[in-house]
Amino acid sequence: MQRLSALTDLLQHLLKWLLLALVVAVLAGSASAFFLFALDWATRTRLAHAWLIWLLPLAGFAVGWLYLRYGSSVEGGANLLIDEIHDPKKIIPLRMAPLVLGGTVISHLFGASVGREGTAVQMGGALADQLTRLFRLNNEDRRIILMAGISAGFASVFGTPLAGAIFGLEVLAIGRLRYEAMLPCLLAAIIADQVGLLWGVHHTHYAVPLIPALSAWTLCAMVIAGVLFGVTGKLFAQATHGLSGLMKRWIAYAPLRPLAGGVIIAAAVWLIGTDKYIGLGIPTIADALKEPLPAYDFLGKMAFTIVSLGTGFKGGEVTPLFYIGATLGNALGPVLHQPVTLLAAIGFVAVFAGAANTPIASTLMAMELFGAEIGMYAAIACVVAYLFSGHAGIYRAQRGGHAKRTPPKDIDA
């Protein structure tokens, strides 16, 4: 009788989360599809009208004013979602979704160097949290549905359902996974990705033509590269947070911060005579996986992204981190005597692994984007990058679950 009761409870649990994950996935997948279409329009428009970069300061001021006037309760973005999962207080205002959507599209239209994952994650989480009131969920179920929303948003914007599912579990605390939410996050991520495809979303396809056989030097090269990728991710996170703190101290009126950032970015684009470091930078990422690029490209993207995010433009960090990692890996290929395309692909995910403290999700992303054969090399580089990135990351609300390594014990003399 007890076994039958336990089986009934499990079936009820499965049906409950299948239903909730389905609703979350439809909402998040549809929102991500609309966002990706809008982002594609914004990018094509900016490329066709190069003069739009000179309006970036005004665009930054407008976005800053909108958030000051209407978005003070959602200014925390992805960090607000993580905080609510750790310590549930009140429902995420629905306004988070349209505000971050509009702010990100405007940022891309006029030439800021920002990403897209932050927008998809915030939309997914905000939309998912509206179900808390509708279905009268308790705090524990609310935590899980927020995590499912994060997973659904991440998976549908990148077309990587397995990485998206684990990202929603792994990003909350360093060194700890929330296994009780694994089923809802997995269901939401897979279905949201399919919803996006049904809407007609087309994700960028990447290929690594040559994956070398395992050797002692190849393993050593992955470790060395992993150290450099982790340090780069750490520097990116620290510089972005540092600039944000300085801007808040130097400029009290929030809308003036992205205005100042817009002036710097527009002037820099004019001075260097190229726009390859603004926007998503997908063409450069694709080139990094095909042929050698200038060794300084990763520094250019880092500088433009740090200024964009540090002064208050909306978007995300992940796609710029893909760019930074791919171009850095591209530069390291000849130095480490490895195929340029291989190290570009490894850098693509490993810098993100270090900056976000998500080595498992990053390894799965490598396998989903580049094929299962790259998994062993990606895992080594991502774990080493995770170890060498310290305990800081791009998400301030991320908590310390477990230490990244066991500290050495003191030995009595």
Side-chain angles (χ1 to χ4, degrees), residues 308-328:
S308 295
L309 294 173
T311 57
F313 282 96
K314 302 303 175 182
E317 300 91 346
V318 175
T319 304
L321 286 169
F322 292 163
Y323 183 123
I324 294 165
T327 50
L328 175 57

Side-chain angles (χ1 to χ4, degrees), residues 17 88 137-145 178 180:
W17 284 110
L137 302 179
N138 58 34
N139 279 344
E140 189 55 39
D141 285 348
R142 181 176 174 237
R143 289 189 179 98
I144 294 174
I145 207 166
R178 298 288 295 267
E180 73 275 14

Side-chain angles (χ1 to χ4, degrees), residues 324-350:
I324 294 165
T327 50
L328 175 57
N330 185 283
L332 290 175
V335 178
L336 297 177
H337 303 289
Q338 296 297 310
V340 164
T341 54
L342 173 67
L343 273 185
I346 297 297
F348 183 109
V349 294

